[in-house]
Amino acid sequence: MTSIEILPLIALVAMFVIATFFPINIGILGFIGAFVVGAFLLGYDDKEILAEFPSSIVLTIIGVTYFFGMAKKNGTIDLLVHTCIRSVRGRVTIVPWVFFFCASVLTALGTFSPAAVALITPAAMSFAARTRMSPLVMGIMTINGAHAGAFSPISVSGVLVRDIVESSGLTIAPWTLFFASYGINLLLSVLTVIGYAVLARMRNLEFTATGSSDDFDFDGGESPRRAPVAGPGAAPFGGSSGGTGTQVLVRTPRTEIVTEPARQPVTAVQKLTLVLIAAVLVLVLHMPISFVAIAAGAILAFTDLSKQSEAIAGISWSTVLLVAGMVTYVSLMEEIGTLDHLAQMAITIGAPLLVAVVLCYVIGVTSAFASSTALLTAVIPLALPLLQTGALPVVGVVAALAISATVVDVSPFSTNGALVLANAQNIERPRFYRQLLLNAGIVVAIAPMLCWLLLVAVPALA
């Protein structure tokens, strides 16, 4: 590799380091890098540099977050979540899986993973506290659920990955990518529940894997009866508290179900929103999701014109900036030939399966500290020349990389992990932080190998 090809790669690494330690959107650094590479190394003018701007992806992010942001504000998303909880009649052992399913539905419909986790986590962690379910298991299930639906054909991450792959002339089945992500995250959740259940039985832990109603009396959906005991720790079950006491629950008669959430009347706006969501799901099979979502959002806008400034502000502009800057920069790196040379070096190793597992671990370990979305735009292009040889299944490798990048977001350093930590109840924060950190280490060690084995090695050797 020449110095002209190496310098942009060093700059890319520097961008991730800077964005990890400083509160700077990596997309800004990407645009600066794109200008330097384009103007000084390639001799491009501004129009040629911006020719690599991912306008389709940007419009998709704007449209999806605009529409579903308004659906969240008018209460439709809450309505869907509560409907799912009522559908299982409050049975304790099933409700955690309802939270998993609700989070997956939200992200599959286009909600960003952190937004879905932020919406589900308060109710999920409160439920865990009320039923003595492990907050660690509940947090993991909520995050895994959000990741499970994150690569649907209409989600931003799904559109981003497909656009990167198809721009190289390869094809990827969108539903295969979605079901691969859903299956892996579901499997990880099952393994988490089983593993914690075994550990709880062996070590007689204070929490259970799926919760229990044996010792509690739920009165009208409120927090169980409790008595304060002095000591450092989290807030009471029902929410925050000005004190620092923990809570001890009083043993009461056995119950079988948790009281269902109170029913709220469905408004006309919520009914319209549900119709529009259904219309988007149907039309996206034939039309671009970006324009369909923007049109649906525009219809909702007329139901409350006074809140349009809030709706526009609710668009995920930080993600728009991140994706646009990184995709533009990585595209110019491809123009220089940096990615092709790196891929050729990987191919010369002579073991495509080995290269694939190394890439899975690289993106998995790095994603525990850096932006998963930014890493997807940087690492997936590295694998494309390898995939063009036909030695490995395209959808398997891409899915393995995509899942490896997102599944480690249970780390307390990530947005999702931090949300779970912030909403934990009835457990000391430092202790819970260490549990999340330990779990993240286990996931980083196991998940990339699991993805590689099930999605790459088995199909390639079959």
Side-chain angles (χ1 to χ4, degrees):
M1 294 178 65
T2 65
S3 59
I4 293 180
E5 295 168 339
I6 294 175
L7 288 176
L9 181 61
I10 296 175
L12 179 64
V13 175
M15 289 178 197
F16 279 105
V17 172
I18 293 172
T20 299
F21 291 99
F22 299 96
I24 298 177
N25 191 307
I26 196 174
I28 294 176
L29 304 178
F31 278 123
I32 295 173
F35 172 73
V36 172
V37 170
F40 297 102
L41 297 184
L42 293 174
Y44 285 178
D45 58 25
D46 58 335
K47 292 183 179 180
E48 291 174 309
I49 294 174
L50 291 176
E52 305 297 338
F53 185 85
S55 56
S56 176
I57 299 175
V58 167
L59 195 60
T60 296
I61 297 173
I62 292 174
V64 169
T65 56
Y66 176 59
F67 173 55
F68 285 99
M70 285 194 289
K72 179 181 177 181
K73 286 184 179 298
N74 66 28
T76 303
I77 300 300
D78 288 334
L79 174 66
L80 291 174
V81 172
H82 292 155
T83 299
C84 290
I85 294 176
R86 284 197 299 270
S87 68
V88 297
R89 297 185 178 276
R91 288 181 175 82
V92 169
T93 56
I94 300 178
V95 174
W97 294 103
V98 172
F99 286 120
F100 175 96
F101 174 74
C102 288
S104 69
V105 169
L106 293 180
T107 51
L109 290 176
T111 305
F112 277 103
S113 173
V117 173
L119 182 66
I120 297 294
T121 298
M125 300 307 281
S126 177
F127 172 85
R130 292 165 56 187
T131 59
R132 298 195 68 77
M133 176 182 177
S134 165
L136 178 65
V137 175
M138 178 59 87
I140 292 171
M141 290 183 67
T142 303
I143 294 174
N144 285 350
H147 292 156
F151 292 96
S152 76
I154 65 172
S155 69
V156 174
S157 296
V159 172
L160 172 64
V161 170
R162 292 202 313 277
D163 188 82
I164 293 173
V165 173
E166 292 173 357
S167 65
S168 68
L170 298 172
T171 58
I172 181 171
W175 285 108
T176 304
L177 175 64
F178 169 70
F179 285 119
S181 174
Y182 208 104
I184 292 292
N185 281 282
L186 180 61
L187 175 61
L188 288 173
S189 295
V190 171
L191 293 176
T192 298
V193 171
I194 294 175
Y196 191 90
V198 172
L199 187 63
R201 184 178 294 274
M202 292 175 58
R203 301 182 60 181
N204 194 27
L205 300 180
E206 61 178 311
F207 297 112
T208 65
T210 56
S212 171
S213 60
D214 291 354
D215 301 328
F216 312 106
D217 176 31
F218 294 90
D219 183 15
E222 298 299 325
S223 298
R225 295 195 297 264
R226 54 189 182 264
V229 176
F237 297 132
S240 60
S241 172
T244 59
T246 55
Q247 307 295 327
V248 174
L249 298 179
V250 178
R251 179 177 296 273
T252 56
R254 178 187 181 100
T255 58
E256 294 299 331
I257 62 172
V258 177
T259 303
E260 299 177 7
R263 289 180 179 271
Q264 299 293 333
V266 181
T267 66
V269 173
Q270 290 173 341
K271 292 179 180 178
L272 173 62
T273 305
L274 291 172
V275 171
L276 290 174
I277 290 176
V280 168
L281 293 176
V282 173
L283 293 177
V284 74
L285 300 175
H286 310 283
M287 304 173 68
I289 177 61
S290 53
F291 293 106
V292 172
I294 289 176
I299 294 174
L300 275 186
F302 285 98
T303 62
D304 192 352
L305 294 174
S306 64
K307 294 184 178 180
Q308 272 311 285
S309 58
E310 296 180 19
I312 298 299
I315 294 173
S316 186
W317 295 111
S318 62
T319 304
V320 169
L321 182 58
L322 183 152
V323 171
M326 287 305 298
V327 170
T328 302
Y329 181 75
V330 172
S331 297
L332 288 172
M333 284 182 64
E334 290 185 87
E335 292 285 335
I336 290 179
T338 301
L339 299 184
D340 287 338
H341 274 87
L342 287 175
Q344 289 300 324
M345 291 170 62
I347 292 174
T348 57
I349 295 176
L353 285 174
L354 177 60
V355 175
V357 72
V358 169
L359 288 177
C360 284
Y361 271 102
V362 167
I363 197 171
V365 172
T366 310
S367 183
F369 305 95
S371 167
S372 301
T373 306
L375 283 169
L376 287 175
T377 65
V379 176
I380 288 181
L382 287 176
L384 296 180
L386 177 65
L387 297 177
Q388 289 170 339
T389 65
L392 297 174
V394 175
V395 67
V397 173
V398 173
L401 291 175
I403 298 168
S404 297
T406 56
V407 77
V408 298
D409 282 350
V410 293
S411 162
F413 301 118
S414 68
T415 303
N416 290 339
L419 286 168
V420 168
L421 179 62
N423 284 280
Q425 301 176 25
N426 199 36
I427 187 171
E428 297 177 358
R429 290 288 190 276
R431 175 187 171 197
F432 192 45
Y433 171 83
R434 291 192 295 271
Q435 290 181 358
L436 285 172
L437 199 59
L438 176 61
N439 177 75
I442 295 173
V443 171
V444 168
I446 296 176
M449 177 60 70
L450 186 65
C451 293
W452 171 81
L453 181 64
L454 296 180
L455 301 177
V456 181
V458 172
L461 298 175

